[in-house]
Each structure stands twice: as structure tokens, then as C-alpha cells.
Amino acid sequence: MALYPPTGFFFKVKIGDFEDVAFQEVTGLSMTLETLPIKEGGQNRFVYQLPVRTSSEKLILKRGLEVSSQLANWCKEALENFSFSPKDLEISLLDFAAQDKILITWQVVRAYPTKWSVSGFNAANNELAIESIELQYQHFSKIFPS
């Protein structure tokens, strides 16, 4: 039996056929409906807001730095060589009690890297080096398992 609301710390990410995709943080799964304001002639009390299209934020994935990986090579190809090969992602929120049970999956379509960064280095702190990868994508959909 799942706990509700579900916890946000137990999840998995799948990027195409990559095998090295364990992350500590995923942010940016959001969609906004853009509207177009229309003023009606003679009507000054309000403005109509008509739906136009949706837009999304960039997806940000964070994990401990891996010196060499399929994901790092994919980012390098896009950012250094300007060679893009979009990938589909699956981000699944898992049930904490039954750890192999998927509660919700977000299917992200045609993602590609737009930024790669690494956290700062500080000899006074005992912290891991964290790499961040920003992805742009076409759209996502939410899938509930049956």
C-alpha cells in the first residue's frame, strides 16, 4: 500500500539506452499555458485570455560527477561538437514501501542537453563534486500505471 502523498526522494530516471543515469535531483518538470489577451471593443471591464500553447522549463538533472560516462559523452557531443541526438526520458516516482512499484511516470520527448556544469571546488568543505545537466525538450506526458 502506497503512502499518500508520495515521497519525492525515491525515483529513477531512464535516458534512451544509457545505463549510467542515477541522479540525486530532478527539477523542471512543469508546463505553463500561454495565453493571448484579447480586448473587446466597447468592453472595458475585462480582457479575454485565450489559450495559445504550452511551454516548459528546462529539465535539470543533478548527480555526483562521473569522469567518463555515456551521458557525459552525449553532453559533450552536443555542447562541444554541436552534434545533437535527442533522447526520450522516463522519470518514474517509486513507491517507498514497495520499491519496484511505479506510482507515476513522466515521459519526456526529444530531450537534448543545453548546459553542463559542475559545482564549485572548495578545499575547506568535504562535499562531492556535483554535475548538473540542463535539457530542453519538446513536451512531456504523465502516465499512471494500470
Side-chain angles (χ1 to χ4, degrees), residues 59-75:
L59 190 63
I60 302 171
L61 309 172
K62 294 183 180 183
R63 69 178 185 175
L65 178 65
E66 291 190 22
V67 177
S68 178
S69 69
Q70 291 175 305
L71 183 61
N73 292 338
W74 181 57
C75 291

Side-chain angles (χ1 to χ4, degrees), residues 17-146:
D17 57 352
F18 293 166
E19 298 176 6
D20 57 345
V21 289
F23 294 96
Q24 72 182 43
E25 185 178 340
V26 175
T27 58
L29 271 175
S30 79
M31 196 157 285
T32 303
L33 180 64
E34 296 176 16
T35 59
L36 177 67
I38 302 290
K39 297 177 183 176
E40 182 181 352
Q43 179 59 267
N44 293 324
R45 293 184 314 154
F46 58 88
V47 175
Y48 293 102
Q49 296 290 335
L50 301 179
V52 179
R53 71 185 63 82
T54 57
S55 63
S56 56
E57 293 183 19
K58 290 184 178 170
L59 190 63
I60 302 171
L61 309 172
K62 294 183 180 183
R63 69 178 185 175
L65 178 65
E66 291 190 22
V67 177
S68 178
S69 69
Q70 291 175 305
L71 183 61
N73 292 338
W74 181 57
C75 291
K76 178 181 170 127
E77 282 298 309
L79 299 171
E80 292 181 14
N81 301 330
F82 215 64
S83 174
F84 299 95
S85 58
K87 305 273 185 210
D88 292 343
L89 282 80
E90 289 185 357
I91 302 166
S92 299
L93 185 61
L94 304 175
D95 187 344
F96 181 69
Q99 297 183 0
D100 59 344
K101 181 180 176 189
I102 295 174
L103 299 175
I104 304 171
T105 296
W106 290 267
Q107 292 181 330
V108 179
V109 177
R110 296 189 54 79
Y112 58 91
T114 59
K115 182 178 179 181
W116 178 91
S117 63
V118 66
S119 62
F121 306 127
N122 185 341
N125 292 336
N126 185 17
E127 297 175 346
L128 294 174
I130 303 296
E131 69 179 330
S132 297
I133 300 162
E134 287 188 19
L135 304 174
Q136 188 64 58
Y137 55 92
Q138 282 186 347
H139 62 88
F140 70 84
S141 57
K142 192 168 25 172
I143 308 297
F144 295 98
S146 45

